[in-house]
Amino acid sequence: MLIDLLWRSLLNRRGTVLLSVLTIGLSVALLTGVEKVRQDMREGFFNTVSGTDLIVGARTGQVELLLYSVFHLGSATNNIRWQSYQRIARDSAVEWAVPLSLGDSHKGFRVVGTSSEFFERYRFGHQHQLQLSSGRTFQGIHEVTLGAEVANRLGYQVGDQLVIAHGLGSTSFSQHKDQPFTVVGILAPSGTPVDQSLLVSLESITAIHVGWRAGVPMPGLSVDANKLAEMELTPKEITAVLLGMKSKTQVFQMQRAINGFSGEPLLAILPGVALQELWQVIGTAEKAMLAISACVVLAGLTGMLGVLLTGLQQRRRELALLRAIGASPLHLLSLVVMEAMLLTAAGIGFGLSLLWFALILAQTGLYETFGLYLTLGWPKELWQILALVFAAGTLVGILPAWQAWRYTLADGLTPRT
Amino acid sequence: MTTSHTVEIDRLAFGWPNMPRALLDIPRLQIETGGSLFLRGPSGSGKSTLLNLLSGVQGGYSGSISICGERLETLSAHRRDQLRADHIGLIFQQFNLLPWLSPIENVALACRFSKRRREKAKVSGGTVAKEAERLLRELGLGEVVESRRRTSSLSIGQQQRVAAARALIGNPELIIADEPTSALDSEHRDRFIDLLMAETRASGASLLFVSHDASLASHFDRTLELGATTGNSEEALTC
Ligand SMILES: Nc1ncnc2c1ncn2[C@@H]1O[C@H](COP(=O)(O)OP(=O)(O)OP(=O)(O)O)[C@@H](O)[C@H]1O
Ligand SMILES: [Mg+2]
């Protein structure tokens, strides 16, 4: 019954009112935005290798295997023999197997030796496939397809030549100088570790190590390209295998079989389970982010409290007047609480439109610069967040309302200002 | 209870907790229907305090106060608020109006908390807004209505007349005016009092008029003097 009066009163004070709606809106946009980024990052993280059923490597911890095979962090202590790979790949339950050979680098970026099936089988996000932004995928030896960030940071274009270093240090002394690679294609950003990789064929990896023994080039043993073409370049060892099964029901059976493999000690992991374990470690950072933005909302609400309290001092006469025409203290109390609720609601509305607008604007930019793919949609559990903010806003209104209550009882009909 | 008296006070005593002696001590006071009382006293004599008691926003007194036959001390706070909304029209010295409402809306405001006054205003004017407009015209504010003036642009005298219209709308039984003329010059003051008296008489309401200016007493049926520091009143007073 007082809502129209409240509206007119707010219109009259629109300057300060607008300002507090703005602050609440900004903080709500920040909170929901952080939550959105957090959820999409998490989603993206868990879907880094979304199409793969099993990852196989030499026996080690499951997080270690995940780290070096997918995220290219650390290195494998042992390799898988080519024969073992072939036996697994030929199993009737296996639909596809993509070998990975890691261990070389270029200016700090990892070189990944693999089959060309990699481009077809590797999936991220919701079953997204890798896309080329220019050129083509590698085919012959000494051809390389670059991840988006590699090309971007090092300024490579299709047709450029580069030299791969032996080992993983960015200032490795041993360079495969005699066998330069040609950039034949550049991938579009995917937000996965592929962006930071140089993809070459397994044969290329073998080729550059021809004439090397125990990590150093043997003098007089270097080979020229013509000879290489005639050589048998099938690798003897690889680092890891990505497996896709024909049926999901066979995944566990296959995992057990590989873990008990007779030829050599192997480990097969479910990517989802290993990612979950890894997230336990790095997920705390996101929680900290959320906590900080919750503090920002608190700051926004404190700003509103200030607006309400100073407004109340000015409105003391207004309240006394309403009291004189028959308003009870409860009326006036509810008027002030309602004001806080209205401001919070307006702030939430403004914040949400701001978030949506920012999402539209940031979507492509974030994807291209950070590989962070934001979907155009509200964060999950949005209602819980908003309900919490609204409840906090209402609670903030209680303090000035209580103050108004005290004023009306102390003032009677004549306000003391 | 007789209903021929709008206000009846019986052995009323009231003091603020921090005061050594009672501020108000009124053995007996009655204002009959249609009657007018001039309440006079120097600053600090408790005039505003008495109005707070009469309008039911201040309790903690001894004795009894009846408004339109209802004994305030027997009513709940909520019922006292309702009684004030229904039966009392108040005019203050200043800050009578909400500057962000139009003059007509300010007048209509008095009907917002009282169904009784709303109904009466509708009977008299058709709608609350029309009745508010009629009262403003009667109080000589036709020009204000016509030119849709903003409340904040009105002169003090005009504002006080808008406040008077608000007190009068819906025919409450008691009009209480707390120094409504202290911001007006003598010419406007006399005009305002005459107008207020005429309108109250026309609506059949009783009027309680407060001022420290003794020269105004002649306008009213009776006068009640409140002493400065001695919490007293002369004698049993009936008007
Ligand atoms: N809420 C309160 N608490 C304590 N003392 C109060 C309160 N309100 C008023 N008083 C005191 O009661 C006395 C009477 O105050 P009141 O406002 O009724 O005087 P008044 O006759 O209306 O004066 P004025 O002509 O200046 O308006 C004063 O001494 C004042 O300080
Ligand atoms: Mg006073």
Side-chain angles (χ1 to χ4, degrees):
Chain A
M1 129 193 220
L2 289 170
I3 195 91
D4 62 314
L5 273 188
L6 177 60
W7 179 244
R8 298 286 293 270
S9 174
L10 286 174
L11 271 184
N12 183 244
R13 293 173 283 137
R14 54 185 165 271
T16 46
V17 163
L18 219 63
L19 211 66
S20 82
V21 167
L22 231 68
T23 16
I24 296 172
L26 279 172
S27 57
V28 165
L30 190 72
L31 179 68
T32 49
V34 164
E35 180 60 10
K36 172 77 180 155
V37 168
R38 196 178 77 96
Q39 286 177 7
D40 281 5
M41 261 172 78
R42 184 174 216 259
E43 187 93 335
F45 175 82
F46 278 104
N47 289 315
T48 313
V49 277
S50 52
T52 302
D53 293 323
L54 287 171
I55 301 172
V56 184
R59 190 159 299 162
T60 170
Q62 71 166 351
V63 171
E64 283 87 338
L65 175 54
L66 179 78
L67 280 177
Y68 71 69
S69 64
V70 175
F71 293 98
H72 305 161
L73 293 168
S75 48
T77 42
N78 280 302
N79 287 332
I80 307 175
R81 283 204 287 274
W82 185 249
Q83 286 80 3
S84 308
Y85 161 72
Q86 280 182 312
R87 267 182 58 192
I88 293 168
R90 283 189 200 127
D91 191 286
S92 60
V94 171
E95 193 188 352
W96 55 265
V98 171
L100 298 175
S101 180
L102 305 158
D104 292 304
S105 67
H106 174 72
K107 296 190 175 163
F109 292 103
R110 298 280 180 118
V111 173
V112 180
T114 184
S115 64
S116 50
E117 205 181 354
F118 179 87
F119 296 102
E120 189 187 323
R121 297 301 182 185
Y122 188 89
R123 297 290 159 89
F124 62 97
H126 293 285
Q127 298 295 319
H128 287 296
Q129 255 184 302
L130 293 170
Q131 303 288 331
L132 283 159
S133 71
S134 65
R136 56 176 175 81
T137 58
F138 64 79
Q139 265 140 27
I141 55 169
H142 301 150
E143 286 187 351
V144 59
T145 302
L146 301 181
E149 199 182 328
V150 180
N152 191 21
R153 289 260 292 276
L154 302 179
Y156 287 133
Q157 282 170 346
V158 174
D160 287 352
Q161 297 235 314
L162 55 86
V163 168
I164 288 172
H166 189 79
L168 300 173
S170 59
T171 53
S172 180
F173 292 115
S174 333
Q175 306 259 6
H176 299 285
K177 278 204 193 86
D178 51 337
Q179 297 184 38
F181 278 69
T182 306
V183 177
V184 294
I186 293 167
L187 292 169
S190 63
T192 67
V194 175
D195 290 351
Q196 293 110 43
S197 312
L198 295 88
L199 299 166
V200 300
S201 65
L202 284 177
E203 290 75 17
S204 298
I205 297 281
T206 314
I208 56 176
H209 292 105
V210 168
W212 286 51
R213 289 284 182 277
V216 283
M218 299 295 284
L221 269 179
S222 72
V223 282
D224 59 75
N226 296 337
K227 260 197 205 149
L228 276 176
E230 293 155 20
M231 285 174 77
E232 169 59 48
L233 290 173
T234 307
K236 291 190 175 60
E237 291 184 321
I238 54 171
T239 317
V241 187
L242 305 180
L243 278 189
M245 307 301 291
K246 283 184 181 138
S247 142
K248 299 289 167 208
T249 55
Q250 292 162 316
V251 172
F252 291 103
Q253 209 180 334
M254 191 66 192
Q255 186 186 23
R256 265 198 308 278
I258 293 172
N259 288 342
F261 191 72
S262 55
E264 61 180 323
L266 294 180
L267 174 71
I269 59 167
L270 298 158
V273 176
L275 283 165
Q276 184 69 51
E277 195 179 327
L278 187 56
W279 184 258
Q280 309 267 304
V281 185
I282 60 174
T284 38
E286 268 75 6
K287 291 207 188 80
M289 233 156 83
L290 200 64
I292 289 168
S293 49
C295 289
V296 173
V297 171
L298 224 62
L301 291 176
T302 313
M304 178 177 83
L305 181 65
V307 167
L308 288 178
L309 281 176
T310 49
L312 201 64
Q313 196 59 48
Q314 298 161 6
R315 290 170 65 209
R316 207 165 162 171
R317 287 189 206 130
E318 233 173 270
L319 297 180
L321 192 66
L322 290 174
R323 182 122 173 81
I325 61 165
S328 66
L330 205 64
H331 272 128
L332 304 180
L333 186 126
S334 65
L335 198 70
V336 177
V337 174
M338 237 148 63
E339 182 172 330
M341 284 162 61
L342 216 66
L343 292 190
T344 313
I348 286 174
F350 173 64
L352 288 185
S353 28
L354 208 66
L355 172 69
W356 198 257
F357 191 64
L359 269 182
I360 292 172
L361 281 186
Q363 220 187 1
T364 44
L366 275 180
Y367 187 52
E368 270 157 23
T369 33
F370 299 110
L372 178 62
Y373 187 78
L374 290 184
T375 52
L376 196 59
W378 301 114
K380 277 171 272 168
E381 279 132 38
L382 179 69
W383 289 115
Q384 280 95 316
I385 298 174
L386 297 186
L388 220 67
V389 172
F390 189 68
T394 309
L395 218 65
V396 160
I398 302 281
L399 188 65
W402 176 69
Q403 186 78 1
W405 175 284
R406 282 189 31 208
Y407 281 167
T408 53
L409 292 184
D411 289 357
L413 301 174
T414 32
R416 278 151 241 284
T417 36
Chain B
M1 270 291 158
T2 87
T3 47
S4 63
H5 292 113
T6 314
V7 178
E8 277 193 75
I9 289 176
D10 196 26
R11 283 189 298 266
L12 172 71
F14 177 82
W16 293 106
N18 53 347
M19 285 183 171
R21 52 184 303 173
L23 174 67
L24 294 168
D25 183 5
I26 303 173
R28 192 166 173 76
L29 167 68
Q30 292 181 329
I31 306 176
E32 63 191 22
T33 309
S36 64
L37 174 69
F38 182 59
L39 182 61
R40 206 199 80 82
S43 190
S45 57
K47 301 184 296 294
S48 298
T49 304
L50 179 58
L51 299 191
N52 279 344
L53 295 182
L54 288 176
S55 49
V57 296
Q58 178 68 52
Y61 55 88
S62 66
S64 98
I65 299 174
S66 299
I67 302 291
C68 299
E70 300 250 31
R71 288 184 55 165
L72 292 184
E73 57 278 5
T74 66
L75 300 179
S76 67
H78 176 72
R79 289 278 298 119
R80 286 202 302 272
D81 289 334
Q82 198 53 54
L83 190 79
R84 178 172 68 258
D86 284 343
H87 302 287
I88 303 178
L90 283 151
I91 310 167
F92 302 106
Q93 182 176 355
Q94 52 182 351
F95 311 130
N96 272 295
L97 309 177
L98 297 178
W100 34 268
L101 290 181
S102 73
I104 288 180
E105 287 167 326
N106 263 293
V107 175
L109 205 59
C111 294
R112 186 172 276 261
F113 293 93
S114 168
K115 185 162 188 262
R116 190 169 182 267
R117 286 175 73 177
R118 199 155 57 231
E119 295 307 325
K120 281 200 198 173
K122 279 184 194 160
V123 167
S124 162
T127 66
V128 172
K130 278 197 190 129
E131 173 68 357
E133 197 179 317
R134 187 189 69 78
L135 278 165
L136 286 176
R137 282 183 202 283
E138 230 171 80
L139 286 160
L141 295 172
E143 180 262 331
V144 167
V145 172
E146 250 108 67
S147 55
R148 305 197 166 279
R149 294 269 298 279
R150 289 164 52 89
T151 298
S152 50
S153 74
L154 301 182
S155 73
I156 306 279
Q158 287 171 324
Q159 287 187 24
Q160 292 305 77
R161 278 183 277 164
V162 174
R166 186 180 57 214
L168 287 162
I169 195 170
N171 288 29
E173 284 81 350
L174 177 63
I175 307 289
I176 294 178
D178 191 356
E179 312 214 34
T181 54
S182 60
L184 304 179
D185 58 45
S186 59
E187 187 195 336
H188 280 94
R189 187 185 60 206
D190 288 336
R191 284 237 306 269
F192 180 82
I193 293 175
D194 287 339
L195 205 53
L196 184 62
M197 291 291 291
E199 289 298 324
T200 340
R201 206 166 288 133
S203 77
S206 309
L207 176 64
L208 175 54
F209 193 99
V210 176
S211 178
H212 57 266
D213 183 353
S215 70
L216 299 177
S218 59
H219 290 87
F220 303 91
D221 298 350
R222 285 286 183 133
T223 300
L224 172 64
E225 286 277 345
L226 289 182
T229 43
T230 54
N232 72 338
S233 71
E234 272 77 75
E235 82 273 24
L237 199 102
T238 311
C239 17

